[in-house]
């Protein structure tokens, strides 16, 4: 999307996956026993409940599934979205559907907000994750699917963009939007073939092996270090040359020069900011726009003030942290150094109105 819709350069586009915690496989048997599902195959959907989740589709498919697999259990974990106008109406609708289909022994509603530890516990004890989203006009990722994938759960999902990307190469199963029959068929297939189900989960876990919180944090840090190192930007000289040409033409337009509107370079717009060390930085001041000249003067003036200031770097940080604007006067409060008495301030008495 960045490259196709916004014109971002491929060399400057980087993908970092959503983060997720690690599973606790050694605790799986204990958790299943505590949750009373030791002899059952558990599917799960969690998150803020809303009509876009499509959970009612799974409930409609369960009667067909349990005819052949009576040990099937479906967990619905979460509470309704607090910011939506429908309130608890969607939750009440799910309760009514459970009564209508007579599937009380195969569905468990775990309402309320769950902490990350509780979610890890429930996901560890489950076997399948279902993502039955309806088709909506938005492109988004799914943190819930990322959690399940990271823990090696077999996933079946509607064809949102994220599931098409995450579950490719046989790492999961996709069903058409709103297709209850396809949901029932895929569940029955996974319940009948435990080895295939576990193989899909293992493949998905390998695919998301670098989705852990520590790996994702390290990836963000590498981006920061790369952005701080200007040498990597010198790999595309042609792109920089186009940018410089566009800047020169823009300055000519500002000075009243006529431009050829048919010239292709006049329409080139690149989202790349000016590079430190660029030749524009070393031009004579007279050739720079007035805004840049003012910015340079301000930068030099601030640098000179810092050199004159006797305060240390640490005290300057403390000093700037406590700046307070009071009408048209800036009053600064500096932290008192150890062993130094703070100067007394003169207080002005307010005159009676």
């Amino acid at each position: 999307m960045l490259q196709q819709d916004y014109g971002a350069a491929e060399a400057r586009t980087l993908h970092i996956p959503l983060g997720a915690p690690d599973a606790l496989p050694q605790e799986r048997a204990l958790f299943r026993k505590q949750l009373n599902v030791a002899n059952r195959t558990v599917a799960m959907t969690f998150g803020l409940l809303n009509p876009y989740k499509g959970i009612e589709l799974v409930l409609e498919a369960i009667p067909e599934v349990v005819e052949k697999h009576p040990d099937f259990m479906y967990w619905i974990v979460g509470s309704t979205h607090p910011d939506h106008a429908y309130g608890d109406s969607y939750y009440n609708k799910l309760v009514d559907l459970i009564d209508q289909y007579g599937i009380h022994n195969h569905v468990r509603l775990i309402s309320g907000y769950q902490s990350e530890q509780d979610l890890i516990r429930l996901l560890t004890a489950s076997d399948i994750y279902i993502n039955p989203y309806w088709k909506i006009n938005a492109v988004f990722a799914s943190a819930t699917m990322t959690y399940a994938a990271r823990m090696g759960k077999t996933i079946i999902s509607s064809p949102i963009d994220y599931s098409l990307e995450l579950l490719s190469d046989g790492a999961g199963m996709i069903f058409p939007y709103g297709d209850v029959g396809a949901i029932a068929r895929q569940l029955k297939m996974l319940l009948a073939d435990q080895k295939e189900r576990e193989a899909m989960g293992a493949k998905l876990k390998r695919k998301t092996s670098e989705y852990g919180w520590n790996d994702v944090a390290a990836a963000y840090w590498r981006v920061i270090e790369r952005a701080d190192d200007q040498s990597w930007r010198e790999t595309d000289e042609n792109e920089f040359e186009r940018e410089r040409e566009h800047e020169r033409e823009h300055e000519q337009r500002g000075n009243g020069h006529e431009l050829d509107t048919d010239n292709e370079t006049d329409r080139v717009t690149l989202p790349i900011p000016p590079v430190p060390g660029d030749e524009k930085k070393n031009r004579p001041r007279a050739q720079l726009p007035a805004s840049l000249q003012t910015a340079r003067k301000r930068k030099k003036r601030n640098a000179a003030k810092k050199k004159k200031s006797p305060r240390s770097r640490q005290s300057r940080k403390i000093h700037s942290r406590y700046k307070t604007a009071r009408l048209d006067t800036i009053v600064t409060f500096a932290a008192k150094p150890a062993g130094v008495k703070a100067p007394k301030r003169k207080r002005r008495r307010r005159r009676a109105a």
Side-chain angles (χ1 to χ4, degrees):
M1 288 177 63
L2 288 174
Q3 296 170 23
Q4 296 177 4
D5 300 342
Y6 298 96
E10 182 178 359
R12 291 169 175 78
T13 306
L14 189 67
H15 173 263
I16 299 178
L18 286 172
D22 294 324
L24 302 172
Q26 68 277 11
E27 303 291 345
R28 174 175 163 81
L30 175 62
F31 290 162
R32 287 175 64 84
K33 184 177 180 180
Q34 291 175 348
L35 295 167
N36 197 26
V37 290
N39 298 321
R40 308 190 72 166
T41 305
V42 180
M44 177 179 171
T45 299
F46 78 89
L48 291 173
L49 306 182
N50 60 73
Y52 305 114
K53 285 280 189 180
I55 296 174
E56 63 273 17
L57 301 173
V58 183
L59 296 180
E60 188 177 349
I62 287 178
E64 181 181 345
V65 174
V66 297
E67 285 182 2
K68 195 170 184 180
H69 302 279
D71 63 335
F72 177 74
M73 170 66 73
Y74 182 46
W75 287 344
I76 304 171
V77 183
S79 58
T80 55
H81 200 295
D83 297 333
H84 287 193
Y86 51 76
D88 293 334
S89 61
Y90 183 68
Y91 185 88
N92 295 331
K93 177 184 177 180
L94 298 179
V95 174
D96 293 340
L97 288 175
I98 294 172
D99 293 336
Q100 178 182 341
Y101 298 135
I103 51 177
H104 299 86
N105 295 329
H106 304 281
V107 179
R108 183 182 300 177
L109 284 164
I110 305 175
S111 61
Y113 177 81
Q114 305 293 319
S115 66
E116 185 172 282
Q117 291 182 348
D118 292 334
L119 288 175
I120 293 174
R121 180 169 171 261
L122 292 169
L123 277 169
T124 302
S126 65
D127 302 282
I128 303 170
Y129 187 80
I130 308 177
N131 189 63
Y133 274 108
W134 288 98
K135 184 177 182 180
I136 59 177
N137 296 324
V139 178
F140 60 99
S142 173
T144 61
M145 283 181 62
T146 307
Y147 272 49
R150 175 67 176 158
M151 297 188 183
K153 304 304 170 183
T154 306
I155 298 178
I156 65 173
S157 172
S158 58
I160 64 172
D161 287 355
Y162 187 62
S163 62
L164 293 175
E165 175 185 314
L166 186 65
L167 306 181
S168 60
D169 304 326
M173 303 182 73
I174 304 292
F175 56 83
Y177 288 113
D179 193 336
V180 176
I183 297 174
R185 287 192 299 272
Q186 291 183 2
L187 281 174
K188 287 190 291 185
M189 188 193 76
L190 293 175
L191 293 171
D193 193 343
Q194 182 179 354
K195 290 185 178 180
E196 180 65 20
R197 184 177 74 233
E198 293 176 351
M200 283 187 180
K203 188 172 185 178
L204 197 53
K205 187 172 184 178
R206 290 193 299 270
K207 193 172 184 179
T208 57
S209 60
E210 296 182 357
Y211 282 37
W213 289 127
N214 291 336
D215 296 326
V216 171
Y220 276 105
W221 190 252
R222 286 194 295 270
V223 173
I224 296 172
E225 291 178 336
R226 185 180 180 188
D228 188 53
D229 181 12
Q230 303 300 330
S231 61
W232 68 276
R233 299 191 177 202
E234 300 174 0
T235 58
D236 193 351
E237 292 296 337
N238 294 331
E239 183 177 345
F240 285 123
E241 188 59 35
R242 291 195 302 270
E243 182 187 358
R244 296 184 187 115
E245 183 65 25
H246 178 64
E247 290 176 355
R248 286 192 289 268
E249 291 172 356
H250 183 71
E251 291 177 6
Q252 289 177 4
R253 182 189 288 117
N255 294 331
H257 294 281
E258 295 293 333
L259 291 178
D260 182 7
T261 56
D262 294 331
N263 189 358
E264 183 66 24
T265 58
D266 187 35
R267 296 192 294 270
V268 174
T269 56
L270 294 174
I272 308 301
V275 181
D278 187 27
E279 62 181 17
K280 186 176 72 173
K281 187 176 180 180
N282 299 322
R283 294 179 197 162
R285 181 173 297 179
Q287 297 181 15
L288 292 174
S291 59
L292 289 180
Q293 293 183 33
T294 305
R296 283 193 172 184
K297 288 180 182 178
R298 188 185 300 110
K299 187 175 181 181
K300 288 184 178 180
R301 186 165 59 249
N302 292 338
K305 286 182 180 180
K306 287 183 180 180
K307 288 182 180 180
K308 292 180 182 179
S309 175
R311 294 192 303 268
S312 65
R313 183 177 181 183
Q314 180 66 22
S315 63
R316 282 201 302 271
K317 287 184 178 179
I318 298 174
H319 183 79
S320 62
R321 194 178 303 166
Y322 292 94
K323 286 185 179 179
T324 306
R326 185 178 296 173
L327 297 180
D328 59 342
T329 306
I330 301 297
V331 182
T332 59
F333 300 92
K336 184 182 72 173
V340 178
K341 293 183 178 180
K344 295 182 179 180
R345 302 192 195 95
K346 294 182 180 180
R347 297 183 179 178
R348 296 182 180 180
R349 296 182 179 179
R350 295 185 178 179
R351 296 182 180 179

Coordinates of all heavy atoms in Angstrom, one line a residue, residues 20 45 65 96-97 125 134 169 206 219 227 240 257 261 266 268 276 286-287 290 293 315 322:
A20 N 3.6 -10.6 19.7 CA 2.8 -11.5 20.4 C 3.6 -12.2 21.5 O 4.8 -12.4 21.3 CB 2.1 -12.6 19.5
T45 N -12.5 -18.0 19.9 CA -12.5 -16.7 19.3 C -12.4 -15.7 20.5 O -13.2 -15.8 21.4 CB -13.7 -16.4 18.4 OG1 -13.8 -17.4 17.4 CG2 -13.7 -15.0 17.9
V65 N -21.5 -29.7 13.2 CA -20.2 -30.2 13.6 C -20.4 -31.2 14.7 O -19.7 -32.3 14.7 CB -19.3 -29.1 14.0 CG1 -18.0 -29.6 14.6 CG2 -19.0 -28.1 12.8
D96 N -29.0 -15.7 22.8 CA -30.3 -16.2 22.2 C -30.0 -17.3 21.2 O -30.8 -18.3 21.1 CB -31.1 -15.1 21.6 CG -31.6 -14.1 22.6 OD1 -31.6 -14.4 23.8 OD2 -31.8 -12.9 22.3
L97 N -29.0 -17.1 20.4 CA -28.6 -18.1 19.3 C -28.2 -19.5 20.0 O -28.6 -20.5 19.4 CB -27.5 -17.6 18.4 CG -28.0 -16.5 17.5 CD1 -26.7 -16.0 16.7 CD2 -29.0 -17.0 16.5
A125 N -4.5 -23.7 26.2 CA -5.4 -24.9 26.4 C -6.3 -25.2 25.2 O -6.8 -26.3 25.1 CB -6.3 -24.6 27.6
W134 N -16.9 -10.7 9.2 CA -17.6 -10.3 8.0 C -16.8 -9.4 7.1 O -15.8 -8.8 7.6 CB -18.9 -9.5 8.4 CG -20.0 -10.3 9.0 CD1 -20.3 -10.4 10.3 CD2 -21.0 -11.1 8.3 NE1 -21.3 -11.3 10.5 CE2 -21.8 -11.7 9.3 CE3 -21.2 -11.4 7.0 CZ2 -22.8 -12.6 9.0 CZ3 -22.3 -12.3 6.7 CH2 -23.1 -12.8 7.7
D169 N 0.5 -20.6 2.0 CA 1.4 -21.8 1.9 C 0.9 -22.9 2.8 O 1.7 -23.6 3.4 CB 2.8 -21.4 2.3 CG 3.3 -20.3 1.4 OD1 3.0 -20.2 0.2 OD2 4.1 -19.4 1.9
R206 N 6.2 -21.8 13.1 CA 7.5 -21.6 12.5 C 7.5 -20.3 11.7 O 8.5 -19.5 11.7 CB 7.9 -22.7 11.6 CG 8.3 -24.0 12.4 CD 9.0 -25.0 11.5 NE 8.1 -25.4 10.3 CZ 7.3 -26.4 10.4 NH1 7.2 -27.2 11.5 NH2 6.6 -26.7 9.3
A219 N 13.5 -5.2 16.2 CA 13.4 -4.8 14.8 C 13.1 -3.3 14.8 O 13.6 -2.6 13.9 CB 12.2 -5.5 14.1
A227 N 18.0 4.6 10.5 CA 17.6 6.0 10.2 C 18.7 7.0 10.6 O 18.9 8.0 10.0 CB 16.3 6.3 10.8
F240 N 17.9 10.7 -5.6 CA 18.3 12.0 -5.0 C 18.5 13.1 -6.1 O 18.2 14.2 -5.9 CB 19.6 11.8 -4.2 CG 19.4 11.1 -2.9 CD1 20.1 10.0 -2.6 CD2 18.5 11.6 -2.0 CE1 19.9 9.4 -1.4 CE2 18.3 11.0 -0.8 CZ 19.0 9.9 -0.5
H257 N 10.3 32.5 -12.1 CA 10.7 32.0 -13.4 C 9.6 31.1 -13.9 O 8.9 30.4 -13.1 CB 12.0 31.1 -13.2 CG 13.2 32.0 -12.9 ND1 13.9 32.7 -13.8 CD2 13.8 32.2 -11.7 CE1 14.9 33.3 -13.2 NE2 14.9 33.0 -11.9
T261 N 5.3 23.2 -18.1 CA 4.3 22.3 -17.4 C 4.3 20.9 -18.0 O 3.8 20.0 -17.4 CB 2.9 22.9 -17.5 OG1 2.6 23.1 -18.9 CG2 2.8 24.2 -16.8
D266 N 8.7 18.3 -13.4 CA 8.0 19.3 -12.7 C 6.9 18.6 -11.8 O 6.4 19.1 -10.9 CB 7.3 20.3 -13.6 CG 6.6 21.4 -12.9 OD1 7.1 21.8 -11.8 OD2 5.6 21.8 -13.3
V268 N 7.3 15.5 -10.4 CA 7.9 14.5 -9.5 C 7.8 15.0 -8.1 O 8.2 16.1 -7.8 CB 9.4 14.3 -9.9 CG1 10.0 13.4 -8.8 CG2 9.5 13.7 -11.2
P276 N 20.9 15.2 5.4 CA 22.0 15.9 5.9 C 23.3 15.6 5.1 O 23.6 14.5 4.8 CB 22.1 15.4 7.3 CG 20.8 14.9 7.6 CD 20.2 14.4 6.3
A286 N 22.9 33.4 0.4 CA 22.1 34.2 -0.5 C 21.2 33.4 -1.4 O 20.1 33.8 -1.8 CB 22.9 35.2 -1.3
Q287 N 21.6 32.1 -1.7 CA 20.8 31.3 -2.6 C 19.7 30.5 -1.8 O 18.9 29.9 -2.4 CB 21.7 30.3 -3.3 CG 22.7 31.0 -4.2 CD 23.5 30.0 -4.9 OE1 23.2 28.8 -5.0 NE2 24.6 30.4 -5.5
A290 N 14.3 32.3 2.4 CA 14.3 33.1 3.6 C 14.0 32.2 4.8 O 14.6 32.4 5.9 CB 13.3 34.2 3.5
Q293 N 17.2 30.5 5.8 CA 18.1 31.4 6.4 C 17.8 31.7 7.9 O 18.6 31.7 8.8 CB 18.2 32.7 5.6 CG 18.7 32.5 4.2 CD 18.8 33.8 3.5 OE1 19.1 34.8 4.1 NE2 18.6 33.8 2.2
S315 N 21.7 19.2 34.1 CA 21.0 20.2 34.6 C 20.2 21.0 33.6 O 19.1 21.5 33.8 CB 21.9 21.2 35.4 OG 22.8 21.8 34.5
Y322 N 11.1 22.1 33.3 CA 10.2 22.8 34.1 C 9.9 24.2 33.6 O 9.7 25.1 34.4 CB 10.8 22.9 35.5 CG 10.9 21.6 36.2 CD1 12.0 20.8 36.2 CD2 9.7 21.1 36.9 CE1 12.0 19.5 36.8 CE2 9.8 19.9 37.5 CZ 10.9 19.1 37.5 OH 10.9 17.9 38.1

